[in-house]
Each structure stands twice: as structure tokens, then as C-alpha cells.
Amino acid sequence: MDCVTSFAMTGLFFHVNMTRQFAAWRATFCRFMTTTSKPPQTPPAPQTPAISVLSLSVPVAMGYVPLGMVFGFLFVQAGAPWWLALFASILVFAGAAQFMMVPMLAAGLPLAAIALATLVVNLRHVFYGLSLLDKLPTKPLARWYLVFALTDETYSVLTTLPAGTSTRQMVTVALLNQGWWVLGTLLGALIGAQAQIGLVGLDFALAALFAVLAVEQWRSADSSAPLWVAVASYAAAWTVMPQQALLLAIALSVLAGLFWPTTRPQKATP
């Protein structure tokens, strides 16, 4: 079993598990679309909160630098030049999708399949963005960069920023977070270009990482149904189309997530 199939089921769990948050995201989107316009008023000039952007980004660096090193090392050891790994982190910056890209490129899969898998893996960012519509800056360049640089960790930081945070501070947080990832990628790629070691068993480290993350998500979830849906989807896909099991299983999981029933909290009786 190659690296793609080894962490496919664990990766699928995240996409189906996002169905638990669809109701909240849909409510946020509906509130944004149905907000009535009010007469323009002149609000008082907001004061920029006194926050340390670097201190907010340091915890992200603790994870991004070592994981970026692993990506750069694996990317180079798979046969790609070191500068291509650096460009991938600058132009793609997709975290888990970049790790997924390594075995898919090594296996010679077409770019269309890689692009589709990357789109599905990062589909959750669309719903992240819906909850940030009222926080994103109005300047086009800053707004589009934050859309591009939105990762799970950056989203977590942005949602904790106080009201009135300046556009410069928000963009600086995203730039620093991407900078940590790029730095780790560069270090890992340079080490991988000089190291003369085999990849036997090393690619399983990524599968183990996703397995640990999946277990943590499973323990914090209200139901284990998303995990079993992902396992069943992959089993069915492997039976029908073994060569395209990953893409088919992702599609089945996303389809299940779209039609997954959402539970609404019951109102307390007086």
C-alpha cells in the first residue's frame, strides 16, 4: 500500500467531519446576505489594539518550521529539485495538500488529478472565509492575500484578534505564518539535497501524523459516524475503481457531508 492510500482514509475523515459545522457556517452566510442596509453614520475612529503580531505567530512557527522541513526533505528526496519545493510553499502554501502532492507526483499521476484532490482537501477554507467576511480588509491586495494565505492556523489566529485590528496587523500575521512554512521548507530541501539516505519507511511519518490528528478529531467529535463514512467510502471506491480510489472516496465523502443531517439545538422551555 503506497503513501496515498495509507493516509487516504484518515484524510477523508476531516472532510466528512466538517459536516458538523455546516449549519453554523450556513447561518453565518445567511446573516451576512440578509443584513439590511442602515443609514450611513460616522463612527468614532477605532483605536488600533496594542497587540504583538510576532507573539501571535510564534506558536504557529513551532509547528510550521518542523513540518515545513519534513515537506522540503520529502519533496527533494522524491526526486524534485530543491528550488521547486521552495516555489511550492510560496505559490501553493496548502499544508496537508502539499504533503499529499509528494506521493502523487512520485507516482506520476496527472496534474488534473492532483489539482482536483488539492481543491477538495482545501474546500474547508471556503467555509472558513464565510465566517471572516466581516473581518477581512477592504483593500483588494490585502484582502486577496489573506484569502490565499488562509490556513487552519492562520484562521485560528485571525478569529482571536480583537475588534479594530488594523489591516497591516492582519496581513503581517499571515505573512509571518507563511514565512515560517517557507523557512522550514528551505531548510528541509537543503538538507534533503545533501542527504544520501533512502525513503524506506520515511513516507509513513505523514500517514502517522494524519492518523494522530484523525484520532484527536474522533475523540472530540460528537459522533463516530464521519469516520465510518470515510472508511466505507474508501472501501467502496477501492472495490469499484482501485486506481482512482482516493478521488472517488473523497467525492463520496463530500457528497455524504452535503446531505448529512444537522441537529439543531433545542430551545429551553421556560
Side-chain angles (χ1 to χ4, degrees), residues 118-208:
T118 302
L119 174 64
V120 174
V121 168
N122 290 334
L123 189 61
R124 66 189 186 279
H125 293 172
V126 175
F127 303 100
Y128 286 172
L130 290 177
S131 62
L132 288 177
L133 287 176
D134 56 341
K135 286 191 174 184
L136 291 177
T138 57
K139 297 180 180 179
L141 185 60
R143 188 180 185 91
W144 282 109
Y145 175 72
L146 286 177
V147 170
F148 161 76
L150 187 63
T151 61
D152 298 335
E153 292 75 16
T154 301
Y155 172 80
S156 300
V157 175
L158 292 180
T159 53
T160 59
L161 293 177
T165 302
S166 66
T167 299
R168 181 177 181 180
Q169 290 174 324
M170 297 177 64
V171 173
T172 303
V173 168
L175 277 172
L176 283 174
N177 290 348
Q178 185 179 10
W180 300 128
W181 182 266
V182 172
L183 175 62
T185 300
L186 177 61
L187 295 176
L190 294 178
I191 295 174
Q194 301 296 328
Q196 301 296 329
I197 61 175
L199 279 177
V200 179
L202 186 59
D203 53 353
F204 184 73
L206 178 59

Side-chain angles (χ1 to χ4, degrees), residues 244-264:
Q244 303 294 333
L246 175 62
L247 295 181
L248 181 58
I250 291 176
L252 292 175
S253 296
V254 171
L255 186 63
L258 291 176
F259 293 97
W260 195 263
T262 57
T263 58
R264 297 181 179 179

Side-chain angles (χ1 to χ4, degrees), residues 57-75 82-102 121-122 124-125 145 148-154 172-190 206 209-210 213:
S57 183
V58 166
V60 178
M62 301 296 289
Y64 271 15
V65 172
L67 283 178
M69 291 180 64
V70 174
F71 165 73
F73 182 84
L74 291 176
F75 198 85
W82 68 270
W83 55 266
L84 191 58
L86 187 64
F87 277 4
S89 291
I90 295 176
L91 301 178
V92 179
F93 188 43
Q98 289 183 238
F99 279 105
M100 179 193 64
M101 180 176 60
V102 175
V121 168
N122 290 334
R124 66 189 186 279
H125 293 172
Y145 175 72
F148 161 76
L150 187 63
T151 61
D152 298 335
E153 292 75 16
T154 301
T172 303
V173 168
L175 277 172
L176 283 174
N177 290 348
Q178 185 179 10
W180 300 128
W181 182 266
V182 172
L183 175 62
T185 300
L186 177 61
L187 295 176
L190 294 178
L206 178 59
L209 172 62
F210 276 100
L213 295 176

Side-chain angles (χ1 to χ4, degrees), residues 230-250:
V231 173
S233 299
Y234 191 82
W238 180 265
T239 303
V240 177
M241 300 176 60
Q243 300 299 327
Q244 303 294 333
L246 175 62
L247 295 181
L248 181 58
I250 291 176

